[in-house]
Amino acid sequence: DQMAAGAYTATAMQDYLDQGFTTARDAGCNILGVAKAVNNGIVPGPRIFPAGGFLSQTGGHADTGSFNDFPNDLDDLEAHMVGFIVDGVPEAIKAARHNLRAGATQIKIMAGGGVASEFDPLHTTQFSPEEMEAIVGVAEDYGTYVMAHAYHDRSVNRAIDAGVRVIEHNFLVSEETVKRMKEEGVALSVQAVMSLEAFGDPESITFFSPDQKAKAAQVNAGAQQMMEWAVEHDLLMVTGGDMFGPDLVRQADNIIWFNDKVAKNTHLSLKTATSNAAEVLGWSGGMNPYKDGTLGTIAEGGYADIILVDGNPLESLDAIKRDNVDFVMKDGLVFKNWLPDENAPAFQPAGPGRDAYFGNL
């Protein structure tokens, strides 16, 4: 239920900070209220750029068959924005506007089939061009962008045609589509652990059906090649998680697996989680709640996020694993300090009454 989910989320957010991740982009769920709580200093956690409920058609990737358990009337979704099942331009527009009204910084759509779903084969293309264009139009009117779950050429190219700016996954596209993404400035959110490791052994995913395991194997077969093309053609890439449950503790592994299996370039791999990510987060424009400074760089006037690690990540990315992250500062507040006392930087918590949550934890 919502109470238990909220308690788990609070624990997970502190775990993100412990790993050294101070900002996260949500790819669609009921996280809008939590994001506001973090912004207001009520609970500790990374900055969250929330998408709100993802938009999906009937029989699309967000149609789990359990949505009858939740109200799907847009007038009664404040507490249940996991995903919207919308069909037709008017419903799509209303759902997108509802998310943005509630504080979403960008919109997430399901543009094609997926692996961990029952009703949408991987080869399907979802949402009509008119529906996609309507959703993108709403986002543009608010000064932000749309991100799309998509795997194959037809769904990715339809999304690009409609004005979508970030493709999530992309694992089954051709090199021609990768080239088009580069030419048109479309970013790629790439999930290395799920596609290369977990889907490399789908039989070990015990809660997957035989059909889901077959889809996972298909994705794994295309992921390596697609990522190699993305590196070759210099796509703007950002680190994606696509993780849930116990795997939330493995955020750094997405960067490490991408580097070890594909990029073999520590500088490029680190950029996917720092300056590249900050660039894409900035596309939320007027909906960006963090306008007071820059993200992703250490610079005067930027948000005071500094991570100190034991080792040189340009030599080995093992330095960014949790046990090597010795110091985590977000907004000038220290959330983790494993440094010897004599080396601990001095800091002043920003604002009264926050020491109970923030400090040398």
Side-chain angles (χ1 to χ4, degrees), residues 45 86 88 248 276 296 307:
V86 295
L248 283 173
N276 284 6
I307 315 302

Side-chain angles (χ1 to χ4, degrees), residues 2 29-33 52-55 67-86 91 94-96 98-99 101-102:
Q2 294 294 309
C29 71
N30 180 14
I31 200 74
L32 296 167
F54 32 62
L55 276 55
F67 277 87
N68 289 335
D69 297 336
F70 298 95
N72 203 31
D73 182 342
L74 290 179
D75 294 329
D76 192 26
L77 268 164
E78 288 289 352
H80 297 288
M81 285 196 295
V82 177
F84 296 137
I85 306 301
V86 295
E91 288 186 5
K94 190 170 184 179
H98 189 91
N99 273 340
R101 167 186 176 272

Side-chain angles (χ1 to χ4, degrees), residues 153-285:
D153 282 324
R154 192 164 187 261
S155 59
V156 170
N157 281 288
R158 180 177 290 185
I160 296 173
D161 288 343
V164 168
R165 297 197 66 186
V166 182
I167 302 297
E168 312 291 314
H169 313 311
N170 209 50
F171 296 123
L172 301 176
V173 301
S174 65
E175 186 176 11
E176 289 307 307
T177 294
V178 172
K179 290 179 180 179
R180 183 188 180 193
M181 292 172 67
K182 174 62 178 178
E183 291 168 359
E184 301 194 25
V186 176
L188 169 65
S189 172
V190 63
Q191 302 78 32
V193 167
M194 193 62 73
S195 61
L196 297 177
E197 181 192 25
F199 289 174
D201 183 19
E203 291 300 322
S204 67
I205 308 176
T206 56
F207 53 86
F208 269 12
S209 68
D211 179 60
Q212 290 169 325
K213 291 176 181 178
K215 291 192 289 185
Q218 185 180 349
V219 167
N220 175 258
Q224 178 86 24
Q225 178 64 81
M226 187 282 296
M227 285 188 255
E228 289 176 0
W229 284 332
V231 171
E232 178 183 349
H233 296 291
D234 192 28
L235 282 194
L236 176 60
M237 288 177 282
V238 298
T239 298
D242 206 18
M243 292 178 170
F244 47 89
D247 284 337
L248 283 173
V249 304
R250 300 188 56 196
Q251 298 305 323
D253 285 348
N254 279 293
I255 307 167
I256 294 169
W257 270 77
F258 174 72
N259 184 72
D260 290 350
K261 301 297 182 180
V262 181
K264 306 191 187 306
N265 181 329
T266 54
H267 183 259
L268 169 63
S269 300
L270 287 168
K271 283 182 64 178
T272 67
T274 51
S275 56
N276 284 6
E279 180 177 348
V280 171
L281 293 173
W283 291 353
S284 56

Side-chain angles (χ1 to χ4, degrees), residues 306-308 326-329 332-349 359-360:
I306 296 177
I307 315 302
L308 300 181
D326 287 342
F327 181 87
V328 178
M329 175 188 288
L333 303 175
V334 178
F335 289 87
K336 180 179 183 179
N337 185 3
W338 287 1
L339 298 174
D341 288 345
E342 62 271 22
N343 294 325
F347 75 97
Q348 179 65 42
N360 276 330

Side-chain angles (χ1 to χ4, degrees), residues 13 17 20-24 35 37-41 43-48 290 295 303-307 327-336 347-350 354 358:
M13 288 193 303
L17 291 173
F21 288 79
T22 59
T23 304
V38 172
N39 289 351
N40 292 328
V43 293
R47 295 178 199 83
I48 300 173
Y290 308 108
L295 290 170
Y303 285 99
D305 291 12
I306 296 177
I307 315 302
F327 181 87
V328 178
M329 175 188 288
K330 176 200 163 197
D331 280 340
L333 303 175
V334 178
F335 289 87
K336 180 179 183 179
F347 75 97
Q348 179 65 42
R354 299 181 67 180
F358 304 102

